[in-house]
Amino acid sequence: SGHTISQDQGNWLQEAIWEPEPRSPVSPMTPSSLRGMRTTGGFGAPPMLSKAPKLRDLASTGPRNTRLEPLLAKTRSLPQLRQVPRNLRVEWSPTPSSFQALTGEVDILAHMKSIPLMENRGMMIGQLQLLLDFIKSHSKYWRHDPILEGWHDSQTGDQLTYKTINLYNLNDSVIKPMTMHAKCSYVEAIAFSADGQMPSWFVSHWWGQPFLEAVTGIQQHAILRHPDSCGVTSAYWICAFAHNQHIQPTAYTDDHKTFPFYKALCVCQGVLMMTDSIGPGVVFERVWCNFEWSVATESLNHLLFDVAASDDLGMPHVLTEGLTAKEKVLDDRLSQISPWHESGRTSQVKREERFPVWAMTAAFNVKVVDSKASHETDRVQILKAITGKSASELLDLSNPVYDEIDRRLRARFAIIALRSALQQRMNISDDGSLPICKAIREDVSQKSLAVNLSSCWRMTDADVEVLATCFPRSGNLKRVTFKFCGCYQLTSASTFLEELSSLKGLTEICLDFEYCTSLCRGEEFLSFSKRLATIETLKKVDLNFIGCQELEYIDDLAEVLKAAPRITDLRVMSPDCIDLGEQSKSEPKIKAKMKPKPKKQVFKSITAQLWANESSGELSEVDAENAQSQDFPGNPWSPG
C-alpha cells in the first residue's frame, strides 16, 4: 500500500485481506448461483473474497497490536491513510548522489554554475519537467494518485503524493538537501551556462499550490506565448528556485527597487499569475503576491498580465492580456482576406471561454491589509514596504495607499476576466457571482479605460446595459476605448451610450462596432453624437460602423460632430468603409506655396535685352518697331 508499517504488520494485513476461505470446487453458473453471488459479493467480486474481513474490523481480529489499532480505527480504508505518526514513519534520507538525475548524472559540485545576478536565474520548461519526472520516479502508484514513499510533510506529517506535493514540501525534500553542500540556489545547481538563464516571464504564485498543477499551467502558457520553441527553452523566474535557500534574506527596506523580485520584473515581459484550485484563489490572499502585483501595476505598468488555472479535470487554461503570437498572425492575414475568416481575436475568445473563471472570484475582493504570510513578522514588514516605510516605523493599516492598491488590482483582474465571464454567461453585475463592473467602477484613480470585447458573440444587449455601470464618476477618467467587433447579437446600446456621454472631463472616445450586423437603431447614435458635441473637454472621437448595414443616420452623425468646434480629431467610418470625418479640423488642407518671382535682369546690350524679352514673350510692339528701325548687320528684324 505504500504506507510505513513494519514487515510483520504488512504480512498480517496481507493475509487478513487476501487469504481466501476454504471452498468447494466451482459449480456451473446457474440462476441460483448468480443470485448467491449477488448477495455475497456481486458480479464484480469473486466469491473467494466475498467474506473477507473489512479493514475497520481488523483492529479487533488477528494478533493484538496496540501501535496499529489507533491507525486503523481512524480510517475507513488503508489507501486513504495520509497522516502517519512519526514513530512509524520511514523517512526518505537522500544523499548527494540521489539528485544526479537532475544534474545529468554529474556531481552537483562539478555541475554547479555561479550566477551572481538573481534576476538571471530563470527556470526553463525542460528543467521543470525534469524535476516533475524526478518526483514521479519516487512515487508508488495507487489508484489515481501515486504515493511518494518516505516523503512526508515536515509540519503536519501527512503522506505526500505526486498530485499534492507543493513547493513547501519540495523545498524541504529536494531543494535544500540537493544544494546543501554547494550552498547555492537550485537554478545554479542545474544551469547549463554560467551566463545565466534570462527569464521572459515572472511567475507569481502561492507555494502551497500543487507543483503538478503549477508546472502544467506554466507549460500551457509557454506553448501559447512561445510556440516556435515549443516552450522548451522558455525561461520563467520562480522565487523558490532563484533564491539561495541556505542564506537568510536581507532586511526589508522602504525601497521596493532593492527587492530581488523587482529586478526580475524589470527584465521580464510580463507576469504569469498562477491561480490555485485549493481555495480556490488562495494566491489572492498572500501578501507577497499582492506586493508583487502592486509594484507591477504601478512602477512597471507596461508589463503584460496573464492568468493560468486548472479546471475540475486538471486541464490547464490561460487568460492572456492581448493576443498570442499565432493569434496575431491570424489577425493580420486571414482577417484581411474576408471578415468571415476566424480572426486572431476570435481564436482568443474560443480559447478563453473554457477558462475556469470561478477560480478568480477572490480576485475581485482583494484586500492587502488582510493578506497572509507564513510568518507574521514577514507580513508586517511587507505591509510597511508597500507604503514606503522603513522596518523601524510603526505599521498604519489605515493608510489610504492600501485602499488605492486594492482598487487598482481589482480593476486589472476584472478587465482580464471580463471576456471569459461574458462568454460563460456569468452574472457580472454588482449583485452577481462575479462583480466585475463594480471592481472596474471603484478604481477612481484610472485615467484610461480600454476594454476589448471583440468576437464575444454571446454578448447581448442586456450585457451591454450592465457594462454601462462600469464607468467611474471621479472625473479622473480621460480616455475611453471599447471594442465590440463581431458582436453580432447586439441591436441596441442606448444605456451604454447615455452613461458614456454623461462622463465629465473626457478628452478621447473610441468605439468600435465593426461587423455588429444587428445594430439597427441609428437614432441612438445620433443623439449620442449631439451629447458629445456639448462636452467641452472632448478633442478626439473615433467611431467605427463598418459592416453595420442596418444602421441609419450615420451621415447626420458625422455632420454633427464636424460642426463641434472643440473636436479637432474626428474619424467616423461608415458601413461602406468610407471615412466621413476625413475633413476634420485636425487635418486642414495644405495650401500650395507661391513660387517667388524671378528678379528682372538688366542688360547693357540692346540686342541681349531684345532676345531676353522675346524668349519670355514680353516683346512689345514698340520694341519691335525700334528694332526694325535700326539698320545694322545681323539685326533679325532688318529688311536685309
Side-chain angles (χ1 to χ4, degrees), residues 23-59:
R23 61 187 181 90
S24 59
V26 178
S27 58
M29 285 291 184
T30 61
S32 60
S33 64
L34 292 178
R35 285 194 295 270
M37 288 185 63
R38 206 174 286 124
T39 57
T40 55
F43 290 103
M48 59 181 291
L49 298 179
S50 61
K51 295 183 180 181
K54 297 182 179 179
L55 286 171
R56 61 172 175 265
D57 300 330
L58 292 179

Side-chain angles (χ1 to χ4, degrees), residues 35 90 177 266 620:
R35 285 194 295 270
V90 178
C266 291
S620 60

Side-chain angles (χ1 to χ4, degrees), residues 325-458:
K326 287 186 177 180
E327 291 164 355
K328 286 180 180 178
V329 173
L330 289 175
D331 219 37
D332 294 339
R333 295 180 181 177
L334 296 182
S335 60
Q336 301 297 329
I337 302 174
S338 170
W340 311 116
H341 280 77
E342 181 176 289
S343 63
R345 190 65 64 175
T346 303
S347 178
Q348 180 192 23
V349 172
K350 284 185 176 181
R351 168 174 54 83
E352 294 183 347
E353 69 178 357
R354 298 185 294 270
F355 182 86
V357 70
W358 45 264
M360 293 189 65
T361 304
F364 313 128
N365 299 306
V366 168
K367 198 169 182 61
V368 175
V369 295
D370 294 339
S371 301
K372 302 175 183 178
S374 300
H375 304 283
E376 181 62 20
T377 55
D378 291 343
R379 173 182 172 273
V380 173
Q381 297 303 330
I382 293 171
L383 290 176
K384 291 180 182 179
I386 290 177
T387 57
K389 290 186 176 182
S390 61
S392 59
E393 296 184 64
L394 294 176
L395 177 63
D396 182 15
L397 295 179
S398 62
N399 195 317
V401 174
Y402 297 124
D403 295 333
E404 181 182 351
I405 293 175
D406 293 343
R407 293 190 294 265
R408 186 170 69 245
L409 294 181
R410 293 171 189 170
R412 187 70 174 266
F413 299 150
I415 294 176
I416 295 174
L418 182 56
R419 287 189 302 271
S420 181
L422 289 173
Q423 285 297 101
Q424 297 179 29
R425 309 301 302 152
M426 303 290 287
N427 188 353
I428 62 174
S429 63
D430 295 356
D431 300 329
S433 57
L434 296 176
I436 290 179
C437 292
K438 179 182 178 182
I440 299 175
R441 182 179 66 250
E442 290 181 346
D443 185 15
V444 295
S445 61
Q446 58 181 327
K447 296 182 179 180
S448 178
L449 178 59
V451 180
N452 195 330
L453 301 176
S454 299
S455 299
C456 291
W457 61 88
R458 290 180 180 154

Side-chain angles (χ1 to χ4, degrees), residues 7-19:
Q7 183 66 29
D8 295 338
Q9 294 166 350
N11 294 337
W12 171 72
L13 284 174
Q14 184 177 2
E15 293 174 0
I17 296 175
W18 297 107
E19 185 174 358

Side-chain angles (χ1 to χ4, degrees), residues 309-327:
S310 298
D311 56 20
D312 294 333
L313 300 177
M315 298 298 296
H317 302 278
V318 179
L319 292 179
T320 57
E321 197 170 42
L323 302 178
T324 63
K326 287 186 177 180
E327 291 164 355

Side-chain angles (χ1 to χ4, degrees), residues 85-371:
R86 291 182 181 273
N87 55 354
L88 294 180
R89 197 181 304 165
V90 178
E91 296 290 349
W92 179 53
S93 301
T95 61
S97 60
S98 303
F99 303 101
Q100 289 189 1
L102 299 172
T103 57
E105 303 300 333
V106 180
D107 184 73
I108 185 174
L109 294 176
H111 189 274
M112 187 196 71
K113 308 292 191 304
S114 177
I115 305 176
L117 298 179
M118 194 179 300
E119 58 268 24
N120 293 344
R121 301 174 187 172
M123 278 286 288
M124 293 185 179
I125 299 299
Q127 295 169 341
L128 286 172
Q129 183 61 46
L130 184 63
L131 178 56
L132 203 61
D133 295 339
F134 175 79
I135 298 171
K136 193 173 184 179
S137 66
H138 288 76
S139 63
K140 195 170 185 178
Y141 280 88
W142 181 264
R143 293 185 179 177
H144 66 285
D145 195 359
I147 295 173
L148 298 174
E149 190 172 13
W151 296 35
H152 301 90
D153 191 289
S154 60
Q155 300 296 326
T156 63
D158 291 348
Q159 172 70 57
L160 299 180
T161 65
Y162 176 66
K163 293 186 178 180
T164 60
I165 189 171
N166 54 42
L167 272 177
Y168 289 116
N169 310 133
L170 278 179
N171 192 34
D172 296 333
S173 302
V174 176
I175 298 177
K176 285 185 176 180
M178 177 179 175
T179 59
M180 181 182 301
H181 298 287
K183 301 296 182 184
C184 64
S185 66
Y186 181 83
V187 173
E188 291 177 303
I190 64 171
F192 297 114
S193 172
D195 297 333
Q197 298 176 168
M198 186 69 69
S200 54
W201 288 88
F202 181 95
V203 178
S204 183
H205 65 120
W206 172 47
W207 277 33
Q209 182 183 16
F211 186 65
L212 175 63
E213 181 179 294
V215 172
T216 54
I218 295 174
Q219 288 175 337
Q220 181 65 24
H221 180 267
I223 293 173
L224 291 173
R225 285 295 189 181
H226 308 281
D228 296 337
S229 60
C230 299
V232 177
T233 58
S234 307
Y236 288 74
W237 197 87
I238 305 173
C239 57
F241 302 115
H243 283 269
N244 188 341
Q245 302 297 335
H246 303 281
I247 299 177
Q248 292 295 330
T250 57
Y252 295 97
T253 63
D254 55 350
D255 186 8
H256 63 264
K257 295 183 179 180
T258 61
F259 285 81
F261 79 87
Y262 178 82
K263 298 177 182 179
L265 283 171
C266 291
V267 300
C268 293
Q269 71 181 64
V271 177
L272 174 60
M273 298 185 297
M274 304 299 301
T275 303
D276 58 278
S277 59
I278 295 179
V282 180
V283 64
F284 300 107
E285 302 174 1
R286 308 303 293 181
V287 67
W288 262 117
C289 297
N290 288 325
F291 188 20
E292 295 164 355
W293 301 334
S294 65
V295 172
T297 55
E298 183 180 11
S299 304
L300 305 169
N301 54 8
H302 65 280
L303 294 174
L304 298 173
F305 265 74
D306 293 351
V307 184
S310 298
D311 56 20
D312 294 333
L313 300 177
M315 298 298 296
H317 302 278
V318 179
L319 292 179
T320 57
E321 197 170 42
L323 302 178
T324 63
K326 287 186 177 180
E327 291 164 355
K328 286 180 180 178
V329 173
L330 289 175
D331 219 37
D332 294 339
R333 295 180 181 177
L334 296 182
S335 60
Q336 301 297 329
I337 302 174
S338 170
W340 311 116
H341 280 77
E342 181 176 289
S343 63
R345 190 65 64 175
T346 303
S347 178
Q348 180 192 23
V349 172
K350 284 185 176 181
R351 168 174 54 83
E352 294 183 347
E353 69 178 357
R354 298 185 294 270
F355 182 86
V357 70
W358 45 264
M360 293 189 65
T361 304
F364 313 128
N365 299 306
V366 168
K367 198 169 182 61
V368 175
V369 295
D370 294 339
S371 301

Side-chain angles (χ1 to χ4, degrees), residues 440-501:
I440 299 175
R441 182 179 66 250
E442 290 181 346
D443 185 15
V444 295
S445 61
Q446 58 181 327
K447 296 182 179 180
S448 178
L449 178 59
V451 180
N452 195 330
L453 301 176
S454 299
S455 299
C456 291
W457 61 88
R458 290 180 180 154
M459 186 166 52
T460 61
D461 296 346
D463 297 324
V464 177
E465 186 175 352
V466 175
L467 285 175
T469 63
C470 72
F471 298 115
R473 296 287 179 176
S474 60
N476 295 327
L477 191 62
K478 303 299 180 184
R479 297 174 296 275
V480 175
T481 301
F482 271 81
K483 293 187 177 182
F484 301 96
C485 303
C487 301
Y488 54 80
Q489 293 197 52
L490 297 184
T491 61
S492 174
S494 57
T495 306
F496 180 85
L497 298 175
E498 184 177 353
E499 292 293 329
L500 178 58
S501 60

